[in-house]
Amino acid sequence: MPIKIPKQMYVIFVNFIMLCLGGFVTIYVAENINAPGYERLYLLPLTYTFCFLILFSRLLFQRFKVFIVVFTVIGFARFVMLPYFIVFNDYYGGRSPEPPLASSMETAIYLMVYELVMVTIVIGILDYFQNKKYKARDTQQPFDETKSYFGYKVFIIIGFTAAIVIPGVISSISFFIPKPDLVDVMEDSDVLHMLGGYMFILAKQLIFIMVTWWTYKKYAATNQMLYVWIAIIALFTNIGIFIGTNRSDIVLVAIVSLVTFKLLFPKYFKMVVFFVGAMIVGIIIVMSTVRNIASISGGTSGVTDFTDNMQVYFGGPYNVAMALETKLVFPEARHMSVLFFDIFRPMIGVNIFVKNLPFDYSNLFFNQRYFYSDHTTQILPMIGQGNLFFGYLLSPIFSVLVVCLAYFIQSKIDRTRSIEMFYFLTLVCTRMGMLMGQNTMNIINDLSYNLALFLIVYYVNKKIVFKKRLGDVRYE
């Protein structure tokens, strides 16, 4: 009989590892820093280590919450790995032709510490109250049977028809290997093209959910491996079919697909996770080539390019400092009309009515400070966006609000008995775990893209029940 290791032992073990890593990086950074403005960079790994020891290690092993897992991993990369590689590689620069001032860099580090502390406090409070209401999911029957798939099937037919009929949609779809010349294809397309693409992606994910649930029931009844293999094929297909070249979207779908598969087929999870990981790495490598992204080192230093990518995607101190100077260089960026556009321009559907308004959103001002050109390749960090509109004191407000929204959605995930609702709520919760390297525009766009259209289809499917015996359709 295998020995069951108490969860507390896992917590102690990861705390020990984090204490060693965090302590080493803190001391290494403090002793070897070599650039003005970066003198307090050691505060980032030091603060994250304390937050991890006090809260995150315990939450990781308390019960599975995808938001906490993603947030903790991204936080480790942003606050521990990035400072280490900045100092180790002596890379204190970035992609801007005019780097931020040393004073801006110092302030950026303090703001990042402030953001992490505030978010940690809010997570601790919300988790305490949510655990009181938590009820464990039945592992034998994690979800209830959906009464009817008629509405879903109709939508799937419509979604695939739209992909075929609407010009340009089918050519935008990649199957495992990213197609060339598709960079930001959805952003630059007309409304009909975008809608057709979104409908196809939703239809594709609904097929994955329906097939995976069907194989789960068949396997439970027959114990035949055939159904497990069908579920694995559906898993890989769901991940491998995508539109455009947005790498984070592919990673998100992979994470949520694996979470769903693990809940239904826990015995075979370890068998597929390695191969899924390898496939994702392969797709991202090919996609980087397709996107033709110029490396900061010109291909001469993989470590420098890795450090630069972490800086860009995880909202490092260089980018936060740039956000602080955006407010100084472009004071008009602080206007409430910009905030209005930040909220409504990313909403799919609403953006049709507001996109032609004479406003700019904050990310455009941020990229203008970054490049002093029309390039828009950098992501305004959320702490920088908060400071832009509300100043230093309230700069973590957007991060705190996203955490609150993530915990609200997590409460719905815990209660839902619908596999499709579980899948799509988990999808948006996963994106929110990346909040510190994102901004409200990314979060709002993801909510409207991955959740709003699904909720409409979900509601219609619940109201329409197809009766095979009578051969008619009735509305409930």
Side-chain angles (χ1 to χ4, degrees):
M1 183 178 179
I3 300 174
K4 187 176 181 180
I5 302 176
K7 288 184 178 180
Q8 188 62 31
M9 295 301 297
Y10 288 109
V11 174
I12 293 172
F13 176 73
V14 296
N15 276 342
F16 175 76
I17 297 298
M18 187 67 242
L19 185 61
C20 293
L21 284 174
F24 166 75
V25 173
T26 299
I27 296 171
Y28 177 81
V29 170
E31 293 292 327
N32 295 280
I33 201 73
N34 187 29
Y38 282 87
E39 292 86 356
R40 300 291 183 269
L41 187 65
Y42 68 88
L43 290 175
L44 299 185
L46 179 64
T47 305
Y48 182 83
T49 301
F50 274 112
C51 292
F52 186 89
L53 297 177
I54 293 170
L55 181 66
F56 296 123
S57 62
R58 176 173 55 83
L59 297 187
L60 285 174
F61 294 99
Q62 192 176 72
R63 62 186 177 88
F64 180 79
K65 293 187 285 288
V66 69
F67 170 78
I68 290 297
V69 173
V70 174
F71 180 87
T72 303
V73 172
I74 298 296
F76 179 79
R78 188 191 195 207
F79 287 91
V80 180
M81 289 179 63
L82 178 57
Y84 171 78
F85 279 102
I86 287 174
V87 176
F88 173 78
N89 199 42
D90 203 33
Y91 178 68
Y92 300 98
R95 293 178 176 263
S96 176
E98 184 178 328
L101 300 173
S103 58
S104 299
M105 188 64 66
E106 184 176 10
T107 304
I109 293 170
Y110 289 136
L111 279 183
M112 291 173 69
V113 170
Y114 179 37
E115 178 189 29
L116 179 59
V117 171
M118 292 302 298
V119 167
T120 301
I121 292 172
V122 172
I123 288 176
I125 294 172
L126 293 175
D127 207 85
Y128 172 77
F129 286 104
Q130 193 175 88
N131 280 338
K132 288 186 172 183
K133 302 177 181 179
Y134 173 70
K135 183 180 179 181
R137 189 180 297 275
D138 182 5
T139 56
Q140 298 298 318
Q141 182 71 14
F143 303 109
D144 293 334
E145 181 67 36
T146 301
K147 290 183 179 180
S148 172
Y149 292 106
F150 180 73
Y152 292 153
K153 292 175 181 178
V154 171
F155 178 81
I156 289 169
I157 294 172
I158 295 173
F160 277 75
T161 302
I164 296 171
V165 172
I166 298 175
V169 175
I170 196 70
S171 61
S172 303
I173 301 170
S174 296
F175 296 87
F176 295 94
I177 300 176
K179 291 183 178 178
D181 304 322
L182 289 181
V183 181
D184 296 326
V185 64
M186 297 304 292
E187 293 182 6
D188 298 330
S189 303
D190 57 43
V191 174
L192 190 61
H193 187 181
M194 292 176 64
L195 180 61
Y198 294 144
M199 292 174 67
F200 172 81
I201 291 298
L202 175 55
K204 180 258 304 189
Q205 293 180 101
L206 286 173
I207 291 175
F208 164 73
I209 294 167
M210 291 165 61
V211 170
T212 306
W213 179 243
W214 175 79
T215 55
Y216 164 78
K217 292 186 299 178
K218 288 292 186 179
Y219 177 74
T222 65
N223 206 33
Q224 293 184 15
M225 277 297 297
L226 170 65
Y227 299 107
V228 178
W229 286 112
I230 294 174
I232 292 173
I233 292 172
L235 170 71
F236 278 87
T237 304
N238 189 46
I239 299 170
I241 298 177
F242 49 88
I243 287 183
T245 55
N246 190 321
R247 292 168 290 185
S248 63
D249 286 345
I250 298 170
V251 173
L252 288 174
V253 171
I255 292 172
V256 179
S257 299
L258 283 170
V259 169
T260 305
F261 182 87
K262 185 179 186 298
L263 194 60
L264 300 179
F265 300 96
K267 183 179 177 180
Y268 303 99
F269 176 72
K270 293 180 181 179
M271 182 176 72
V272 301
V273 68
F274 172 79
F275 294 102
V276 169
M279 184 181 75
I280 292 301
V281 171
I283 290 176
I284 289 176
I285 291 174
V286 175
M287 189 170 285
S288 298
T289 304
V290 168
R291 288 170 63 100
N292 194 26
I293 299 175
S295 65
I296 195 73
S297 72
T300 60
S301 173
V303 178
T304 298
D305 294 337
F306 178 72
T307 306
D308 180 70
N309 282 325
M310 281 201 296
Q311 177 77 253
V312 170
Y313 289 106
F314 300 145
Y318 186 93
N319 278 27
V320 176
M322 282 293 183
L324 298 180
E325 295 193 358
T326 299
K327 186 176 182 178
L328 302 177
V329 177
F330 300 103
E332 65 270 26
R334 297 177 289 178
H335 198 274
M336 285 298 105
S337 63
V338 178
L339 177 59
F340 169 86
F341 221 50
D342 280 2
I343 295 172
F344 293 103
R345 178 64 174 84
M347 289 185 185
I348 296 170
V350 177
N351 59 359
I352 299 173
F353 304 101
V354 303
K355 67 178 182 178
N356 293 322
L357 293 176
F359 305 137
D360 287 327
Y361 44 92
S362 56
N363 207 61
L364 292 179
F365 291 104
F366 173 69
N367 276 272
Q368 286 173 19
R369 164 58 190 96
Y370 214 103
F371 298 111
Y372 289 103
S373 70
D374 57 356
H375 286 295
T376 55
T377 59
Q378 302 295 308
I379 302 172
L380 170 65
M382 194 167 291
I383 185 69
Q385 186 186 19
N387 172 71
L388 181 64
F389 297 112
F390 302 107
Y392 295 137
L393 184 62
L394 295 178
S395 57
I397 187 168
F398 289 134
S399 302
V400 169
L401 289 175
V402 171
V403 169
C404 293
L405 180 58
Y407 264 81
F408 172 76
I409 293 176
Q410 182 63 53
S411 69
K412 301 300 180 184
I413 293 173
D414 292 338
R415 294 191 186 100
T416 185
R417 298 291 301 174
S418 163
I419 184 173
E420 57 268 33
M421 186 65 76
F422 172 88
Y423 177 93
F424 285 99
L425 290 178
T426 303
L427 191 61
V428 297
C429 223
T430 304
R431 169 72 76 180
M432 290 179 183
M434 303 178 179
L435 68 96
M436 289 189 291
Q438 306 284 300
N439 53 52
T440 62
M441 290 163 279
N442 303 118
I443 301 297
I444 291 171
N445 181 262
D446 191 73
L447 279 169
S448 59
Y449 171 34
N450 284 317
L451 193 57
L453 182 57
F454 161 72
L455 289 177
I456 295 172
V457 177
Y458 175 80
Y459 176 81
V460 172
N461 184 73
K462 283 191 69 174
K463 293 299 179 181
I464 301 176
V465 178
F466 181 72
K467 292 293 185 179
K468 288 184 178 180
R469 186 171 59 85
L470 299 178
D472 64 350
V473 177
R474 67 181 175 87
Y475 297 86
E476 291 191 339

